[in-house]
Amino acid sequence: MTAKLDEALEPINAMIGALAPKLRGALVEELVDQVSRERPDAASRKAQVFDNIVAQALREAPLPSRVRASPKLARCVGTLPESTLTLAVDVVTVAEAILTAPELTDDLLMRVCVPERQEHMKIIARRSALSSPLAEVIAEHGEPGTVLMLMRNAGARFSREGLDRIAELHGSDPTIRSALVQRADCPADLSARIGAVVPKEMLTGEALTDKLVELCAEREIFGAMDLLMRCIGRDADAGRKIIERDDEKALGAICHVAGIDAHTYEALVEAWRVSMGKPTADVHKAPVRFRLMRPAEIDRVIARLPLARMRVSPDLAPA
């Protein structure tokens, strides 16, 4: 965007800024609809004007208008880069549709990745393909839960230097260390250096979800909790105590770190309630509570859980 164009649009942006929130929201939706219909060339002056005006209007538009605009704008991210970035760094409810758009460039995604945007980085970490520069930016700024999600994404690419850096930053976390050495691209010498964990039924991704669903169907809540605790590198006895004290919020935090989705969490809660003879009338609300958990809540729960005792592979044990 040239300084000349910015100057020319100043009066229009001032007028947008003076609009009442509802009017500004209506303007945003109308402009985004028009761009979605017309798809002007990104290099055209028309696209640049639209981008400037929409980005300005989005900054103060009401949340419902921004939520409705996000999936529409996700279909034309190449046309409106400034508006796209404005939504990409918005609250997660708004940003998610943008951050999952396949057309987003690494440059824009890397501008989103800063330490205070852990939930945004988790969404990016789940993308089906991640270049090594982008994946390594997430690893550099991510908290353990974010980095674990990244490590479990087979579509994420890393350079050798990037993997060494992850081991340096996060190698003290047994869950991340285990996920790192299980990656197909982890060099043998790095695996040997950080100490490979011998996993006991260490499942990830769909295999983990499928096993949990199977255990829920059999009402094996203790077996499911033991499996989850192994997957996040925490002590199984602590997981059983969570069940005994009926702490569903703690279960939610564990599921978040293990990469479990809201529907599987609901199945776990239902199995838990049935096996303990408790009412299940409000179980359908579990996914909502799960999605509303804040990162700080999750971190507090996980920080209180004791680490599992490390078992080193015999091949790596000292002579």
Side-chain angles (χ1 to χ4, degrees):
M1 184 68 61
T2 65
K4 199 170 189 178
L5 183 58
D6 284 338
E7 187 179 343
L9 292 175
E10 238 178 72
I12 297 175
N13 287 333
M15 289 172 62
I16 292 170
L19 290 174
K22 282 188 178 179
L23 290 175
R24 198 178 298 123
L27 175 63
V28 164
E29 292 184 56
E30 178 60 34
L31 289 172
V32 171
D33 281 341
Q34 189 168 340
V35 173
S36 298
R37 287 192 302 268
E38 295 186 14
R39 301 285 184 91
D41 183 81
S44 69
R45 186 173 181 82
K46 185 173 187 177
Q48 292 177 3
V49 169
F50 266 127
D51 196 16
N52 184 291
I53 294 173
V54 172
Q56 175 69 21
L58 280 169
R59 291 186 181 101
E60 299 295 335
L63 178 61
S65 294
R66 303 196 318 269
V67 170
R68 286 191 292 268
S70 186
K72 296 175 183 177
L73 197 55
R75 295 194 294 268
C76 47
V77 293
T79 307
L80 305 177
E82 191 63 32
S83 302
T84 298
L85 181 62
T86 300
L87 288 186
V89 299
D90 206 326
V91 295
V92 171
T93 311
V94 175
E96 186 166 10
I98 293 290
L99 296 176
T100 54
E103 297 85 2
L104 247 64
T105 64
D106 280 7
D107 178 63
L108 189 145
L109 288 167
M110 282 192 274
R111 292 169 69 184
V112 176
C113 297
V114 294
E116 59 269 24
R117 297 197 192 109
Q118 294 299 316
E119 290 305 302
H120 295 68
M121 288 194 288
K122 284 178 181 177
I123 294 170
I124 298 170
R126 291 196 297 265
R127 287 171 67 92
S128 59
L130 291 170
S131 69
S132 56
L134 177 56
E136 287 162 18
V137 165
I138 295 173
E140 189 73 27
H141 297 303
E143 293 173 358
T146 307
V147 176
L148 181 60
M149 195 168 288
L150 180 68
M151 290 290 94
R152 289 176 171 169
N153 183 352
R157 297 288 175 263
F158 296 92
S159 65
R160 172 56 199 260
E161 293 75 15
L163 292 171
D164 284 338
R165 179 64 174 159
I166 290 166
E168 177 187 341
L169 289 173
H170 303 285
S172 61
D173 186 306
T175 316
I176 295 177
R177 184 165 60 243
S178 175
L180 174 56
V181 300
Q182 290 181 72
R183 288 188 60 88
D185 54 1
C186 182
D189 64 309
L190 176 58
S191 176
R193 177 160 58 83
I194 65 176
V197 176
V198 177
K200 181 184 177 185
E201 202 179 357
M202 182 67 78
L203 304 176
T204 60
E206 290 184 10
L208 173 58
T209 300
D210 291 345
K211 183 63 178 176
L212 288 172
V213 169
E214 178 187 324
L215 290 168
C216 287
E218 297 168 357
R219 308 304 183 200
E220 292 285 348
I221 188 61
F222 285 103
M225 181 62 89
D226 287 351
L227 176 58
L228 282 168
M229 296 299 276
R230 284 197 296 274
C231 288
I232 68 167
R234 296 303 191 270
D235 185 68
D237 288 341
R240 290 174 173 251
K241 288 176 183 175
I242 287 171
I243 294 174
E244 290 167 5
R245 67 171 185 262
D246 203 22
D247 192 347
E248 290 179 8
K249 182 178 284 188
L251 173 63
I254 291 165
C255 286
H256 271 286
V257 174
I260 301 304
D261 61 78
H263 295 297
T264 306
Y265 170 71
E266 181 183 6
L268 286 162
V269 171
E270 183 178 11
W272 185 342
R273 298 273 189 92
V274 171
S275 64
M276 296 297 171
K278 295 183 179 294
T280 60
D282 66 338
V283 164
H284 66 282
K285 297 179 182 177
V288 177
R289 293 194 293 267
F290 180 77
R291 293 188 183 101
L292 290 176
M293 287 194 74
R294 297 175 181 173
E297 290 180 290
I298 296 167
D299 291 343
R300 278 196 297 271
V301 171
I302 300 303
R304 291 197 297 264
L305 297 175
L307 296 176
R309 182 178 296 178
M310 296 295 298
R311 297 183 301 115
V312 181
S313 168
D315 294 337
L316 301 174

